[in-house]
Amino acid sequence: MLTAYTLDRRDRIIAVSPEWDQFALDNDGRAACQDQVVGRRLMDAITGDPVRMFMTAILLRVRASGQVEAVPYRCDSPTTKRRYVMLLEPLAEGTLLVSHHLENEELTELVIRVRTADFGQRAHQRCSICCRVKEAGLWVDPFAIGVNLDLWVIHTICEDCKQAPPQRYGGHQRRAIPDTLVASVS
């Protein structure tokens, strides 16, 4: 299943892939369906200032270089570890196509529920790229702890992910992108 969206030059979501809504609903994300996200700024959907800054830097880099960039990341559900690659492709007039490609999916016996903490609430830091949480000063995979967890988190980017070098497109199998995602919309 291809999940993708197109951003205008001001980082507003202007189109999503046909499978977008099904993926959102399968993952308990009604608020992420097309009618809720098209026309909105991407940064409104990203939690945590460090994560917004990280993503802004990638968007700027892709636009400035004119080259496709690949960003490996994890996007887990409570019982599944999923590894993705996000491809960012520059299009005409500063628009970008952002597509998410599932690389690996691993079902687990554990249930790791992650919720975003409210301001002032005690919470773990969680890296939005590798999904590790900071526990006693160390970044650990919550599935590696070996017990069911209910985690309240603050979204950030760990030092390992911050310092990972940019990856140019290469080797990741591109899929056919619907014309509705590539059309130039002002």
Side-chain angles (χ1 to χ4, degrees), residues 143-157:
F143 286 100
I145 295 171
V147 297
N148 294 338
L149 295 170
D150 194 15
L151 296 171
W152 290 93
V153 301
I154 298 167
H155 299 276
T156 191
I157 306 291

Side-chain angles (χ1 to χ4, degrees), residues 110-123:
L110 299 171
V111 177
I112 310 295
R113 294 197 196 304
V114 176
R115 295 181 179 95
T116 302
D118 292 327
F119 182 76
Q121 183 179 2
R122 188 166 183 247

Side-chain angles (χ1 to χ4, degrees), residues 74-124:
R74 285 234 328 243
C75 181
D76 298 341
S77 74
T79 60
T80 307
K81 295 194 299 187
R82 295 184 296 219
R83 287 176 177 73
Y84 281 86
V85 172
M86 174 174 53
L87 292 180
L88 297 99
E89 303 179 46
L91 302 174
E93 301 174 22
T95 60
L96 295 175
L97 175 64
V98 182
S99 57
H100 302 269
H101 304 265
L102 180 64
E103 299 278 303
N104 180 287
E105 189 170 53
E106 178 185 339
L107 294 171
T108 71
E109 298 290 321
L110 299 171
V111 177
I112 310 295
R113 294 197 196 304
V114 176
R115 295 181 179 95
T116 302
D118 292 327
F119 182 76
Q121 183 179 2
R122 188 166 183 247
H124 289 84

